[in-house]
Amino acid sequence: MKKQVLSYALLTCFYCSAFSSSVSAASVNMSSASLADVDVVIEGTTIISPINKHQISVKPNHWVAIKGNRISQIGNRTKPPKAKLVIDGSDQYLIPGLTDSHVHLKTMPGINFSDANATHMQSAFLARQGTNYLYYGVTQVIDPSNTKDGIKRFHESGLTPDAFFCGAMPVFNGYNAQGIAHKHLHHERPYYLAQYTDPKTTEAITHAHQAKQSLLRLKNDGAVCAKVYIENGFDLADNIPMVSEATLNELTQYAKTLNLPTMAHANATDMQDIAANAEISVMGHGLWNWLEEQGLSTEAALPPKVSRVLTKILNQDIAYQPTLNVIRSLTDLMVENHIDRTEYKTVLPPWQIAWYQSNAGQWFNVEMHKDWGKPPVELIIERFSAKQINGQRVLKHLYDHGATILLGSDTPPAPTFASQPGLATNWELADMHKAGVDLTGILAAATINNASLYNLSQDYGTVEKGKRANLLLLNSNPLKTINAYDDIDKIILGGQVIDRDDLHINKLEQRAPSPKHP
């Protein structure tokens, strides 16, 4: 999919100090601060925490103590320590906060930067997007095409999940670098991969963008993975320059010595085959483009080429991000009145919904129709739906055979308003479950699998002593219903307790000015 990759500075923060003490009095008791040993105790709750990608620990009637931003103690037979804040967690479920390991934090979904109000809309969105993720329980995000400075700006924008980035490593004129003049590439894509076919530049820049040097630089900058683009064009097209086999192999092998995971942008059978042959760590997209085998999609068995690629993924334990949100959000863009769905009113202010409904806000829908030519919208939706079914079948096959599945929504995958922070993550979980991932697998994909793959398990992924206190207190059991992920009572972020209701867009809009709708 073609994406707009645009970098804009984060502007004024409206929400930075709004949540310093946002816990409802009805649900907590305050102890004497002078006598407190810890900051927070959650009493009488059921702790649900993954052990690995297949097993979940369930501990009823436990208490969890938090001191500073860490879990300091967990128990059930001993008396909990005295706390400044005591939360009654009886009849509730405490789980690790969710990690969405494929998000894009720079741009408001669906924005058109030629719009007269674009700057104001972008500013208001960027100041709010962190709280939108938190509303749906996402306490960690990974942006696979950002930089340390971009993540710093995100954290400075207000209340945000803990954020990390992968270093994006495109090639000149390749995917994620199209339209960037070679003389600007070093600045626009600081970790790009130089190839012998590139225009001539200084020896210093050429050397700095060899695979090993770019990897070392992004590793030193704090990246948690390296993202490479294995994309020669949408569907059967072959019109985008690719990374060479030699460079790709050098990159993946050297990344292993750095203990740095590698992620591949690849969504077609032939592209994922290349990624698997290079021993990539993560398939950063679902396999929905079956190319010449699409005609076999109604058969009970998976097509031969698709099946062979999946066997390689399984044999090498390549982690897999289904990113069902990509095709879902492109399809929903063309569904009449989709933006009127009630769920959007949890994260979108009225002015933003109104803009999406306007002729100006429908610009990408118009572009999509131009790309497809003149078929009726029903036929376009049908063709997208066929690709989504491909992705669902592949996900079920991989999960049923023990693959490591990662929650990654790719929000937003294109300028589609149907992929909003947090909400798209929640819909991704629901779509993964519908595709055949059971509730144990859903929890693992959203927590421990991501933490383990990206070397973040010392802080995230489980409810354990010493881990960062990024937690969710749920009203429903996530091992009983997928709806539990939309039945959150409290979000705990680095030890800070937040009532979910205080992150609803209605509350946020009371604290922040909105741009006027043209």
Side-chain angles (χ1 to χ4, degrees):
M1 294 293 161
K2 305 297 185 290
K3 302 179 188 176
Q4 290 184 334
V5 184
L6 303 167
S7 178
Y8 284 80
L10 298 182
L11 302 176
T12 307
C13 166
F14 299 116
Y15 310 120
C16 298
S17 60
F19 305 97
S20 58
S21 180
S22 82
V23 183
S24 62
S27 63
V28 301
N29 297 311
M30 300 298 294
S31 300
S32 171
S34 61
L35 300 176
D37 298 314
V38 297
D39 296 301
V40 180
V41 164
I42 305 167
E43 290 188 326
T45 193
T46 297
I47 301 172
I48 298 179
S49 181
I51 299 171
N52 53 46
K53 65 184 179 182
H54 301 299
Q55 295 177 293
I56 305 291
S57 168
V58 180
K59 297 178 179 178
N61 196 28
H62 272 60
W63 54 262
V64 173
I66 299 169
K67 189 169 185 177
N69 60 13
R70 299 276 165 178
I71 298 172
S72 60
Q73 299 175 61
I74 297 174
N76 70 331
R77 296 182 181 179
T78 59
K79 188 176 181 180
K82 291 184 178 181
K84 298 174 185 176
L85 180 65
V86 178
I87 300 174
D88 180 8
S90 57
D91 299 320
Q92 292 182 309
Y93 305 86
L94 189 71
I95 68 169
L98 311 182
T99 298
D100 188 333
S101 62
H102 197 145
V103 304
H104 300 284
L105 301 172
K106 299 175 183 177
T107 308
M108 171 182 143
I111 198 168
N112 184 344
F113 283 99
S114 65
D115 189 275
N117 262 15
T119 300
H120 297 296
M121 291 191 294
Q122 171 83 338
S123 173
F125 167 78
L126 292 177
R128 189 193 74 237
Q129 71 167 325
T131 53
N132 292 167
Y133 277 113
L134 292 167
Y135 182 85
Y136 281 97
V138 180
T139 58
Q140 298 84 233
V141 292
I142 299 175
D143 186 333
S145 56
N146 214 316
T147 62
K148 64 177 181 179
D149 291 336
I151 296 302
K152 182 174 182 287
R153 289 192 294 270
F154 174 70
H155 281 144
E156 290 172 347
S157 68
L159 187 69
T160 67
D162 296 348
F164 305 89
F165 76 98
C166 299
M169 308 185 78
V171 298
F172 174 57
N173 274 339
Y175 194 88
N176 194 30
Q178 291 175 289
I180 303 175
H182 189 258
K183 63 182 179 180
H184 299 310
L185 198 54
H186 176 73
H187 174 71
E188 296 292 335
R189 300 290 183 268
Y191 313 114
Y192 84 86
L193 295 170
Q195 304 203 104
Y196 74 92
T197 53
D198 291 358
K200 289 185 179 180
T201 185
T202 66
E203 185 177 341
I205 287 182
T206 299
H207 177 75
H209 289 279
Q210 299 303 302
K212 289 184 178 181
Q213 280 67 37
S214 284
L215 281 170
L216 281 171
R217 192 162 59 256
L218 67 86
K219 173 80 171 179
N220 290 336
D221 283 349
V224 297
C225 83
K227 184 177 183 182
V228 64
Y229 297 85
I230 306 176
E231 174 71 83
N232 66 346
F234 185 64
D235 250 347
L236 295 171
D238 185 5
N239 54 7
I240 301 176
M242 289 263 289
V243 59
S244 71
E245 180 180 354
T247 299
L248 181 59
N249 287 330
E250 180 184 10
L251 185 150
T252 56
Q253 295 309 307
Y254 189 62
K256 289 179 183 179
T257 70
L258 300 176
N259 193 27
L260 189 70
T262 49
M263 177 193 293
H265 167 99
N267 55 53
T269 309
D270 53 352
M271 300 295 102
Q272 291 208 357
D273 190 51
I274 292 171
N277 290 339
E279 300 179 0
I280 211 81
S281 308
V282 184
M283 290 294 182
H285 283 298
L287 177 50
W288 57 72
N289 285 329
W290 288 5
L291 306 177
E292 72 276 4
E293 291 187 319
Q294 181 60 36
L296 302 175
S297 61
T298 58
E299 301 292 326
L302 292 171
K305 290 183 180 178
V306 170
S307 183
R308 283 196 290 271
V309 171
L310 301 189
T311 298
K312 291 181 181 180
I313 291 172
L314 290 165
N315 288 344
Q316 297 176 42
D317 195 20
I318 296 172
Y320 183 82
Q321 290 181 342
T323 59
L324 299 171
N325 174 62
V326 175
I327 303 299
R328 194 276 309 160
S329 64
L330 291 171
T331 306
D332 284 347
L333 178 72
M334 292 176 285
V335 174
E336 188 175 3
N337 300 322
H338 171 74
I339 195 62
D340 292 335
R341 285 187 60 163
T342 303
E343 294 95 324
Y344 283 113
K345 295 178 175 63
T346 62
V347 293
L348 293 182
W351 66 262
Q352 195 168 343
I353 293 175
W355 186 78
Y356 287 145
Q357 292 169 328
S358 71
N359 289 335
Q362 289 288 316
W363 72 276
F364 188 61
N365 195 338
V366 173
E367 291 297 319
M368 289 282 290
H369 279 82
K370 288 180 181 177
D371 288 344
W372 280 85
K374 295 184 179 180
V377 67
E378 292 81 10
L379 181 58
I380 300 174
I381 292 174
E382 179 183 326
R383 290 176 178 174
F384 269 126
S385 297
K387 292 188 179 298
Q388 187 73 322
I389 291 170
N390 292 349
Q392 292 167 344
R393 290 186 64 189
V394 166
L395 172 58
K396 178 172 172 53
H397 177 89
L398 289 173
Y399 182 69
D400 287 349
H401 288 81
T404 300
I405 307 299
L406 307 178
L407 170 62
S409 65
D410 194 9
T411 300
T416 168
F417 57 70
S419 181
Q420 295 294 330
L423 177 59
T425 309
N426 185 261
W427 282 347
E428 178 75 13
L429 288 172
D431 288 343
M432 289 167 64
H433 186 48
K434 289 177 185 176
V437 180
D438 62 27
L439 292 170
T440 293
I442 290 291
L443 181 60
T447 56
I448 196 169
N449 291 359
N450 270 322
S452 298
L453 190 286
Y454 294 101
N455 297 313
L456 298 172
S457 56
Q458 71 277 12
D459 291 319
Y460 307 101
T462 59
V463 183
E464 291 183 81
K465 180 180 177 180
K467 294 287 180 82
R468 185 165 169 81
N470 284 10
L471 306 165
L472 303 179
L473 193 60
L474 309 179
N475 295 315
S476 303
N477 188 340
L479 300 182
K480 298 292 184 182
T481 174
I482 193 68
N483 296 328
Y485 296 100
D486 194 17
D487 193 14
I488 302 169
D489 180 29
K490 290 178 176 58
I491 298 98
I492 302 167
L493 180 69
Q496 180 181 359
V497 181
I498 307 165
D499 279 341
R500 189 198 195 197
D501 288 346
D502 283 336
L503 302 177
H504 193 283
I505 191 61
N506 291 344
K507 292 286 186 70
L508 299 182
E509 286 296 284
Q510 292 172 11
R511 304 184 181 105
S514 301
K516 293 180 180 179
H517 182 251

